[in-house]
């Protein structure tokens, strides 16, 4: 799992060399070297160890104590209830006999009923005392706050560990929930009953499936728990019998310690059964392989566990922050912090610490490094920190988590007892002149300075730049803020997109004063965990259920195919669209699967991503036939292109390069462009998914901007076309005519599948097919074909002797294939003629007019329209002039009407055969 997707694990484990981690020197005696600990873990200056006895008698004794305590508490409850009933009966009886209130002074009365009540009151007080003592004795997992540090260092030996102060030594069993302790005991009993000698990870893993939270984890992963449990039973049987006595192995103790530390890192109050899963798999390769066979890897199971822990945090969010924030002000100003009112600031701001107190801010996931960087910048003496990153990566989430930390006082000293207020720049600037906006900002800064307990947050900081009061001596609003920060009068946090930082902030006063903290796009694992913190809202709103695989697929496909947005925002948009569609199409309480995700991404990107159906499979297997329905001849070219398309659709290709790239060589009019159009129609569904560039228009170096755009917000023709339609065919007509600098661009495109446009955006070409055409060696090809040379021989001669005169060898080698198109034979020209006449027939049929022609007509038109120098290109023009023009004249003259038939004779002359009248 990538480092940023989980808390940094710096835990160090030590196993006692004397007892091998067992903690025993012999039957019934603890190891003197480690004092019975066996294994310790060291993290952040604290030591963690397990010292709870796990033997059959010890387990039975604990259960007996619990039973006795339960009986004692239950007896006290019953006694209290009896006393209350006695008092009630006495009051009723006294009320029947007297009408004065004095008669109800039960504390003066000597009666068996009142004595029973007093005894029950004592019993109730005893119960309250016991419960309070039990609650005080319960150990909770306590995480070190930001300002807290432990003094102890990692020990060189066990004797040093024994000298460590007790406050730095934590016995972890007290932090286990009742369910976690029960799972540990069940694992021990399982190994003991089977007489397998040692408690192994598989025993504990098997015991976990009795708990709903663990079962739910594997349910989210779509795992059949019955089959998994059956396989686990086989592993248990394979262990075989061991010694009579059952011991806890060192690896099991490591699992206990690792589970406690994971719960500590994730801010849990107690270790729960789900915390055991990852430590078990890390120490038992057989279990890891078993899950791997079920297509469950470490990342998947970790992300699902995070999902459940995140849900627990969300459920606990409101209550926890209310409790931790009781000393925070409930209003904008509180005398405990300041006696200075801030009316202008209050009008133009939103109190984030107050929102955090009431649990109104969304949960931040996986941004610990960025938060730490902000704190370190402020501690180093900077007056502000500037979060810079692409839109949608979660910059606001970082600030919201800082607001939560301020509520819990888990922040550096300069942020304690402070309020974090977001300044609404839009509201500050609306309806105000530049001078008025400057005055408002100065007043706000003055109020912040006088209050002394306010931290400002400004979202989209670039909105302050470029606004001045008008005269030469006036400052920009950004410079006004920079001036105040430079005097260290206040602390300011802000955010800005990466592009706007480079344009407006970098090397400016604000950029020099504030520390830059980069917030990058999360990797897929961290993005999945971020989605997990949001998915509950959509499940509740639309009444659908997301599997883990559907979340992972949403992240995977949006990362791969949506390029103008960033994770996690673009995946959130996809999930919302999926939830709406599934709720409408499948009904409430429906399951969202990976095919639903693929369908939505396909719909948005026009890329076929759904599972290949049988119908589509047949089409892919018969691509050559489908392409030859509109492409005559050139069998080698068609076969090569069809094979590439099949590899692409089944994802058997390098995903960081275009789908395919070809260089078509041959004389004009032999079908190079027509094959490109055929590919666009067959693979992309429409000829419109083709961007055609006439490379003769890019013969000068200055035309580079025309292709990729310029920094002045002028879009390039190529880059903008691909950005808008990333799933398309790019046709580079007459490639050899382009300037060498422009040809160099395509080296990167065909090698890395991306290109940076004039505005600094990365344009992805991995879902494009690139076809370049050239007439290089056209005459040579015609001559060699006439001489009977083989196509492969002609191609090698062209590559070795002629192409390198116009194109760099490295560019030629980047193409997946160089395809030589043969000159057309008369037989092929006749077939092309028939295709063109069929197009005319379809146009006429739409008007209710028929078309008839014989083979003589086809031959005649083919003879008239074919030119060896220009191939079939003149044929289109001939049909327009000799056939379509005559038909148009007859329609205008009233000679050709609906139900008539156009007849083309052997001389290519047009006549009309009248239809029957109705």
């Amino acid at each position: 799992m990538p480092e940023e997707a989980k808390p940094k694990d710096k835990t160090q484990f030590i196993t006692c060399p004397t007892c091998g981690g067992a903690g025993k020197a012999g039957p019934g005696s603890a190891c003197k070297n480690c004092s019975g600990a066996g294994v310790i873990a060291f993290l952040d200056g604290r030591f963690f160890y397990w010292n709870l006895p796990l033997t059959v008698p010890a387990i039975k004794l604990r259960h007996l104590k619990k039973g006795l305590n339960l009986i004692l508490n239950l007896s006290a409850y019953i006694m209290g209830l009896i006393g209350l009933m006695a008092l009630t009966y006495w009051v009723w009886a006294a009320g029947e006999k007297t009408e004065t209130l004095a008669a109800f002074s039960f504390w003066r009365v000597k009666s068996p009923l009142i004595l029973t009540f007093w005894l029950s009151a004592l019993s109730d007080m005893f119960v309250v005392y016991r419960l309070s003592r039990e609650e005080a004795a319960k150990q909770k997992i306590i995480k070190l706050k930001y300002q807290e540090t432990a003094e102890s260092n990692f020990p060189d030996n066990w004797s040093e560990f024994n000298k460590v102060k007790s406050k730095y030594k934590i016995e972890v069993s007290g932090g286990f929930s009742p369910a976690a302790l029960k799972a540990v005991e069940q694992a021990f009993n399982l190994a003991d009953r089977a007489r397998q000698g040692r408690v192994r990870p598989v025993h504990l893993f098997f015991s976990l499936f009795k708990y709903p939270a663990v079962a739910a984890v594997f349910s989210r992963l779509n795992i059949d728990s019955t089959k998994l449990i059956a396989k686990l039973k086989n592993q248990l049987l394979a262990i075989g019998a061991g010694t009579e006595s059952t011991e806890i192995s060192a690896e099991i103790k490591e699992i206990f310690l690792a589970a406690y530390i994971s719960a500590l890192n994730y801010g849990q109050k107690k270790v729960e059964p789900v915390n055991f899963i990852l430590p078990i798999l890390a120490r038992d390769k057989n279990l890891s392989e078993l899950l791997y066979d079920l297509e469950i890897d470490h990342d998947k199971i970790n992300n699902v566990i995070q999902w459940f822990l995140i849900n627990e945090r969300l459920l606990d969010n409101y209550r926890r922050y209310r409790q931790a924030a009781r000393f925070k002000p409930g209003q904008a100003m509180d005398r405990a912090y300041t006696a200075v009112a801030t009316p202008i600031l209050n009008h133009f701001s939103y109190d984030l610490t107050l929102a955090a107190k009431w649990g109104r801010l969304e949960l931040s996931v996986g941004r610990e490094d960025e938060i730490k960087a902000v704190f370190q910048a402020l501690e180093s003496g900077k007056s502000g920190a500037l979060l810079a990153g692409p839109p949608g990566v979660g910059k606001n989430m970082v600030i919201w988590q800082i607001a939560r930390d301020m509520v819990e006082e888990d922040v550096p000293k300069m942020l304690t007892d402070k309020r974090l207020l977001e300044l609404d720049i839009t509201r500050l600037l609306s309806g105000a002149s530049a001078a008025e906006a400057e005055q408002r900002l100065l007043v706000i800064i003055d109020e912040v300075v006088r209050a002394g307990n306010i931290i400002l947050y400004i979202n989209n900081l670039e909105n302050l730049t470029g606004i001045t009061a008008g005269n030469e001596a006036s400052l920009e609003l950004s410079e006004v803020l920079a001036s105040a920060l430079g005097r260290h009068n206040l602390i300011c946090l802000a955010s800005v997109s990466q592009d706007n930082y480079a344009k407006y902030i970098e090397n400016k006063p604000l950029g020099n004063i504030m520390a830059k903290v980069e917030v990058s796009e999360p990797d897929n694992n961290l993005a999945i965990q971020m989605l997990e913190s949001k998915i509950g809202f959509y499940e509740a709103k639309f009444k659908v259920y997301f599997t883990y695989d559907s979340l992972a697929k949403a992240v995977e496909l949006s990362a791969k195919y949506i390029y103008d947005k960033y994770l996690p925002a673009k995946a959130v948009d996809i999930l919302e669209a999926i939830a709406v569609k599934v709720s409408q199409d499948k009904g409430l309480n429906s399951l969202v699967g990976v095919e639903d995700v693929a369908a939505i991404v396909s719909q948005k990107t026009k890329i076929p991503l759904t599972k290949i159906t049988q119908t589509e499979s047949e089409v892919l297997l018969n691509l050559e036939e489908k392409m030859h329905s509109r492409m005559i001849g050139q069998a080698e070219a068609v076969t090569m292109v069809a094979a590439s398309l099949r590899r692409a659709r089944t994802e058997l290709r390098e995903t960081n390069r275009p789908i395919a790239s070809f260089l078509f060589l041959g004389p004009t009019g032999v079908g190079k462009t027509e094959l490109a159009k055929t590919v666009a129609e067959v693979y992309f569904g429409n000829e419109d998914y083709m961007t055609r560039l006439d490379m003769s228009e890019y013969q000068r170096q200055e035309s580079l901007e025309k292709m990729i755009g310029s920094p002045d917000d002028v879009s390039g023709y190529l880059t903008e076309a691909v950005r808008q339609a990333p799933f398309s065919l790019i046709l580079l007509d007459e490639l050899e005519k382009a300037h060498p600098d422009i040809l160099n661009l395509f080296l990167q495109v065909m090698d890395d599948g991306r290109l940076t446009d004039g505005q600094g955006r990365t344009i992805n070409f991995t879902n494009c097919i690139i076809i370049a055409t050239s007439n290089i060696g056209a005459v040579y090809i015609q001559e060699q074909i006439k001489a009977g040379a083989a196509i492969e021989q002609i191609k090698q001669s062209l590559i070795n002797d002629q192409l390198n005169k116009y194109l760099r060898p490295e560019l030629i080698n980047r193409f997946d294939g160089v395809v030589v198109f043969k000159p057309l034979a008369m037989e092929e020209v006749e077939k092309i003629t028939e295709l063109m006449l069929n197009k005319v027939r379809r146009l006429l049929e739409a008007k209710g007019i028929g078309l008839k022609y014989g083979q003589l007509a086809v031959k005649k038109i083919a003879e008239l329209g074919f030119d060896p120098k220009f191939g079939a290109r003149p044929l289109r023009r001939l049909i327009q002039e000799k056939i379509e023009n005559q038909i148009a004249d007859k329609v205008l003259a009233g000679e050709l009407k609906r139900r008539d038939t156009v007849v083309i004779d052997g001389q290519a002359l047009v006549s009309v055969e009248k239809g029957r009248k109705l």
Side-chain angles (χ1 to χ4, degrees), residues 128-154:
V128 170
Y129 168 76
R130 280 180 52 79
L131 292 177
S132 62
R133 287 293 301 270
E134 286 178 9
E135 186 63 29
K138 286 181 180 178
Q139 176 185 329
K140 292 184 179 178
I141 297 175
I142 301 174
K143 187 176 181 181
L144 285 176
K145 292 197 173 183
Y146 184 81
Q147 299 173 6
E148 297 176 336
T149 55
E151 299 174 358
S152 54
N153 296 315
F154 186 71

Side-chain angles (χ1 to χ4, degrees), residues 42 64 122 195 198 279 313 316 339 372 431 520 526 530 583 605 641 646 653 672 771 828 897:
F42 178 80
L64 180 61
L122 290 173
R195 300 185 180 277
R198 290 186 303 121
R313 288 174 62 191
D316 194 45
K372 188 175 181 180
S520 57
L526 183 52
M530 290 177 172
S583 179
T605 62
V641 171
R646 280 191 286 267
R653 67 180 181 94
K672 300 189 295 294
I771 293 179
E828 292 169 333
K897 296 180 180 179

Side-chain angles (χ1 to χ4, degrees), residues 246-382:
T246 303
E247 296 181 347
I248 299 297
S249 63
E251 59 186 349
I252 279 289
K253 288 190 176 181
E254 278 195 20
I255 289 169
F256 296 161
L257 302 181
Y260 184 95
I261 290 169
S262 73
L264 170 71
N265 286 333
Y266 292 120
Q268 295 172 245
K269 291 180 180 177
K270 289 283 186 179
V271 176
E272 299 294 342
V274 292
N275 293 110
F276 292 126
I277 298 175
L278 285 177
I280 288 173
L281 297 178
R283 290 160 179 82
D284 192 318
K285 290 185 178 180
N286 289 334
L287 288 177
S288 295
E289 288 298 317
L290 187 152
L291 291 180
Y292 190 82
D293 290 342
L294 298 172
E295 299 182 353
I296 304 299
D297 58 16
H298 179 278
D299 287 340
K300 277 188 177 183
I301 201 161
N302 178 69
N303 289 338
V304 175
I305 291 171
Q306 291 304 312
W307 193 347
F308 281 86
L309 296 180
I310 287 167
N311 283 340
E312 288 298 319
R313 288 174 62 191
L314 288 170
L315 292 173
D316 194 45
N317 191 40
Y318 179 77
R319 181 178 66 254
R320 185 160 55 92
Y321 282 114
R322 281 294 306 277
Q323 182 180 359
R326 57 180 175 267
F327 298 112
K328 281 288 176 180
Q331 305 175 48
M333 187 270 290
D334 187 279
R335 291 182 181 179
Y337 292 90
T338 177
V340 179
T342 55
I344 304 300
L345 175 61
N346 293 345
H347 180 72
F348 292 108
S349 66
Y350 176 66
D351 194 329
L352 294 177
T353 43
L354 191 59
K357 172 182 176 178
W358 295 104
R360 293 172 183 163
L361 300 181
E362 290 186 39
L363 202 62
S364 175
V365 176
R367 291 300 188 186
E368 292 83 8
D369 287 345
E370 289 80 0
I371 293 168
K372 188 175 181 180
V374 170
F375 290 165
Q376 289 174 344
L378 298 180
E379 287 178 313
S380 69
K382 290 285 187 179

Side-chain angles (χ1 to χ4, degrees), residues 390-554:
V393 298
K395 298 186 289 295
N396 280 330
M397 295 292 182
V398 175
I399 298 298
W400 294 346
Q401 185 57 45
I402 291 174
R404 284 194 185 85
D405 292 342
M406 290 174 68
V407 167
E408 292 188 316
E409 305 292 4
D410 187 13
V411 290
K413 190 173 182 180
M414 79 280 295
L415 296 180
T416 56
D417 294 338
K418 297 290 196 302
R419 296 161 54 206
L420 179 59
L421 271 62
E422 181 177 353
L423 186 60
D424 189 340
I425 295 298
T426 304
R427 193 172 185 183
L428 179 74
L429 301 178
S430 63
S433 64
E436 290 171 335
E438 182 177 320
Q439 184 62 32
R440 288 177 180 177
L441 183 59
L442 287 169
V443 171
I444 287 171
I445 291 173
D446 184 55
E447 288 185 352
V448 171
V449 173
R450 286 189 294 114
N453 75 318
I454 293 171
I455 311 297
L456 276 184
Y457 168 56
I458 302 174
N459 191 19
N460 298 324
L461 183 64
E462 69 276 8
N463 290 337
L464 285 181
T465 62
I467 301 174
T468 65
N471 56 60
E472 294 181 1
S474 64
L475 297 175
E476 279 190 5
L477 291 188
S478 62
E479 293 174 337
V480 172
L481 178 63
S483 178
L485 292 174
R487 293 192 296 271
H488 296 276
N489 289 339
L490 74 156
I491 295 175
C492 180
L493 306 177
S495 65
V496 64
S497 70
Q498 197 69 52
D499 293 341
N500 287 331
Y501 176 83
K503 287 181 182 178
Y504 305 113
I505 307 296
E506 193 173 23
N507 299 323
K508 302 289 177 62
L510 268 181
N512 295 330
I513 289 172
M514 301 181 78
K516 180 187 178 186
V517 176
E518 291 195 6
V519 183
S520 57
E521 185 178 23
D523 66 10
N524 284 11
N525 277 323
L526 183 52
I528 289 169
Q529 293 175 25
M530 290 177 172
L531 289 190
E532 290 168 351
S533 70
K534 302 174 185 295
I535 200 62
F537 169 76
Y538 295 110
E539 288 185 330
K541 181 178 179 180
F542 298 105
K543 303 293 188 297
V544 294
Y545 181 85
F546 283 86
T547 63
Y548 170 77
D549 287 339
S550 63
L551 289 188
K553 183 62 73 172

Side-chain angles (χ1 to χ4, degrees), residues 190-223:
L190 180 64
D192 186 68
R193 285 195 302 269
R195 300 185 180 277
Q196 292 178 332
R198 290 186 303 121
V199 181
R200 294 172 170 82
V202 67
H203 293 111
L204 182 56
F205 193 68
F206 182 82
S207 300
L208 296 180
F209 283 87
K210 297 179 180 179
Y211 299 93
V214 174
V217 166
F218 289 93
S219 173
R220 286 279 188 180
L221 288 165
N222 277 347
I223 295 297

